[in-house]
Amino acid sequence: MTLPRVMLADDHTILVEAFRKLLEPHCEIVGTVSDGRALMEAAPNLKPDVIVVDIGMPSWNGLEAGQRLKEQMPL
């Protein structure tokens, strides 16, 4: 059974590391980013199954980046 591929997007390093430790036994963490623009650049290349996004990130906030990703990477 393959693990779900997860990407983490948060500008607080301590939270990214906490999510990583929590999720790694159950998921494959394929990448982490710290702002909305980096998320937009990395997600199409990494092709994660799930993206955990902070809504209050610099550049584009998580909501804006999520909407743009939905348009760029439809299900």
Side-chain angles (χ1 to χ4, degrees):
M1 181 168 103
T2 55
L3 297 175
R5 296 169 44 81
V6 176
M7 183 172 184
L8 304 173
D10 197 312
D11 58 323
H12 296 94
T13 307
I14 194 164
L15 287 176
V16 170
E17 290 308 312
F19 278 122
R20 181 187 294 278
K21 287 181 182 179
L22 180 69
L23 294 173
E24 274 187 332
H26 311 285
C27 305
E28 176 188 356
I29 306 299
V30 295
T32 63
V33 295
S34 60
D35 66 60
R37 289 185 195 271
L39 174 61
M40 293 298 298
E41 291 176 13
N45 295 326
L46 295 173
K47 296 179 177 53
D49 298 317
V50 176
I51 304 173
V52 178
V53 182
D54 175 14
I55 61 169
M57 293 187 298
S59 297
W60 293 323
N61 68 43
L63 296 175
E64 186 176 358
Q67 286 192 335
R68 289 177 186 226
L69 276 176
K70 187 175 177 183
E71 294 169 4
Q72 185 177 346
M73 300 174 60
L75 295 175

